[in-house]
Amino acid sequence: MMESKSIFKKLFLQPNCTYQLSLFRLATKQEISQLAGNNKNIKAMFEITSQPNGHFEDLHGLAIIELNTADDAMDFSGSMNVRSVESTFLRVESEASLELSPDKYYEFFAAWLKPGKEHLLKEFFVASEPIKQNYGRPVPQIKVEFETTPDEQSDIKTFSPHLSGIVEWNDESDVYQLLQHPDFYDKAAPLFEKAILRMEMILGKII
């Protein structure tokens, strides 16, 4: 993917808007860029490159669409070549602005907490921070933290995580290097497993 052909350059999110996040599977992966240009409310679209963790399978793309309410949701099922879609609705607490680089990789994460285990998640973040700082590669940066919208209902809503956000990575291989680091495996991962019921971790590049 060449920088000059990137469609999306910046992602700007506002607290007074609802954001539809859709993960889709295409009949032909080459149609992602064509799909991206079909709606002006699409604020960013990513081509999925790998899925280190999660239950969703064979995903090709991820779209972030700005809405007034869930009633305005975009139904990708009516688009050519879209085989299936997983969607949710999210908000941000405050304005978030992210410069989108074709040289970076972007992770979308969605997590479901085990009841009463929130303290273990906090312990995980404390334990993992020094490991991220010293695992030998650039430190991943959390760029966006979303809030769930349990009040937003729609026929196209298929999942509703407790936590979700966007992380910027320097390279796709950095993700696996961190996850496989001995200190992460021994000190951080056990806390994560005790705190999290389900985790979707999806990596992609901006279109």
Side-chain angles (χ1 to χ4, degrees), residues 99-152:
E99 298 290 338
L100 298 168
S101 170
D103 299 323
K104 303 290 186 180
Y105 282 81
Y106 295 91
E107 170 201 343
F108 168 73
F109 68 87
W112 289 255
L113 290 170
K114 293 179 180 178
K117 301 299 183 181
E118 293 86 353
H119 65 289
L120 292 176
L121 184 64
K122 293 179 181 179
E123 291 179 22
F124 161 77
F125 285 122
V126 172
S128 63
E129 187 58 33
I131 304 170
K132 290 189 292 184
Q133 296 289 337
N134 296 287
Y135 79 112
R137 295 290 300 153
V139 179
Q141 303 291 327
I142 297 178
K143 294 295 187 178
V144 178
E145 293 184 71
F146 289 109
E147 295 183 336
T148 57
T149 58
D151 54 315
E152 296 280 15

Side-chain angles (χ1 to χ4, degrees), residues 6 31-32 74 80 87 108 112 116 118 130 154 157 160 172 176 191 199 207:
S6 295
E31 298 298 326
I32 294 178
M74 182 174 178
M80 290 182 61
S87 295
F108 168 73
W112 289 255
E118 293 86 353
S154 169
K157 185 177 183 179
S160 184
E172 187 172 31
Y176 298 94
L191 293 168
M199 176 72 171
I207 292 175

Side-chain angles (χ1 to χ4, degrees), residues 27-44:
T28 56
K29 193 173 180 179
Q30 290 74 17
E31 298 298 326
I32 294 178
S33 59
Q34 180 179 338
L35 188 65
N38 287 344
N39 192 304
K40 65 179 182 180
N41 290 330
I42 297 178
K43 297 304 177 183

